[in-house]
Amino acid sequence: MSKKIAFVTGGTGGLGTSICRSLVDAGFTVVAGYFSGGRHEKAQAWQEAQRADGYEIDIAYGDVTDEESCAKCVAAVEEKYGTGIDVLVNNAGITRDGQFKKMTWDQWDQVLSANLDSMFHMTRLVINGMIDKNWGRVINISSVNAQKGQFGQCNYSAAKAGIHGFTKALAQEVARKGVTVNTVSPGYIKTEMVAKIAQDIQDKITATIPVGRFGTPEEIGRLVAFVAEDESSYITGSDLSINGGLHMY
Ligand code: CAA
């Protein structure tokens, strides 16, 4: 039987790279979606670096905020492999942090567009194929800051909390069709996104994490691959927290 196709948006980024690698390890054919402002050579260099480490991962260009760009990207992948995407990991995301009293519409709009509208654009393109095959996995990457809120992240917390509403509704619609839909909510993970936070604030945040450290991207990749497995078919509509105990509920 041919391998299942997994597509990871933001696949060449901090979390995305580990998610892609874990899915390769789990036996999927993996395609990393990238945008990087259209810097294709950056994605190609990423692909070469993965190959040098023994990971064969395809790459596909697409802007998750743009319906047409997503459609072109998914069509190209489906044409190349002659089949629909079996596992969609909606991982692409951005931050534009700042206190709400100073937040601009652009800061709001960019974050909602990249983190939440992207769920519509990408999932809408693959869900019917999954239903037709009677098998599929949609795994949406949210955040601990959706669950608990975060000073300076009204836009991000709103978008990431919206993700889990989407997960729960869609999970109900496709549960009888062999398709599971889940949210994975990481805490603070050692990526470029977290590195952008001022060091003194990072230290304060670390002090509030019971486990006493930031997580690693590999820890997130491992959980995503677990959710994607055939044997995980009874997990649906869940919000899987992986945050070192930062938020328990
Ligand atoms: N709770 C309450 N008050 C706080 C606070 C908090 N957590 N943090 C700061 N304040 C207060 C400060 O004490 C200060 O008060 P005074 O004016 O009375 O002195 C005031 O708010 C202003 O604080 P800042 O100087 O920090 O304000 P700023 O506007 O320069 O910076 C900020 C705001 C950029 C949002 C900064 O606070 C920050 O970077 N916070 C961290 C945001 C964060 O955690 N982002 C996560 C990014 S990673 C990610 O998103 C991945 C994921 O999913 C986890």
Side-chain angles (χ1 to χ4, degrees), residues 128-164:
N128 284 320
M130 291 179 181
I131 291 168
D132 289 347
K133 285 187 188 176
N134 210 33
W135 198 96
R137 299 280 181 266
V138 178
I139 304 170
N140 301 321
I141 307 300
S142 179
S143 165
V144 66
N145 291 344
Q147 300 165 325
K148 72 170 188 56
Q150 170 60 38
F151 185 99
Q153 288 202 306
C154 285
N155 48 2
Y156 186 85
S157 297
K160 291 292 196 182
I163 286 176
H164 192 51

Side-chain angles (χ1 to χ4, degrees), residues 95 97-99 102 143 145 150-153 156 187-188 193-194 197 201 205:
T95 53
D97 291 357
Q99 292 183 64
K102 294 187 265 183
S143 165
N145 291 344
Q150 170 60 38
F151 185 99
Q153 288 202 306
Y156 186 85
Y188 284 78
M193 186 185 267
V194 168
I197 305 170
I201 297 178
I205 292 168

Side-chain angles (χ1 to χ4, degrees), residues 8 18 38-39 49 51 53 74 83 89-90 95 119 132 136 146 160 163 183 215 227-228 230 244 247:
V8 182
S18 285
R39 280 171 290 152
R51 194 167 283 147
D53 284 350
V74 170
T83 180
V89 184
N90 282 311
T95 53
M119 299 284 136
D132 289 347
K160 291 292 196 182
I163 286 176
T183 302
V227 175
D230 227 1
H247 183 63

Side-chain angles (χ1 to χ4, degrees), residues 180-203:
T180 70
V181 187
N182 288 286
T183 302
V184 168
S185 289
Y188 284 78
I189 310 299
K190 280 186 207 150
T191 60
E192 268 179 45
M193 186 185 267
V194 168
K196 277 192 235 159
I197 305 170
Q199 190 57 51
D200 59 325
I201 297 178
Q202 284 193 44
D203 294 344

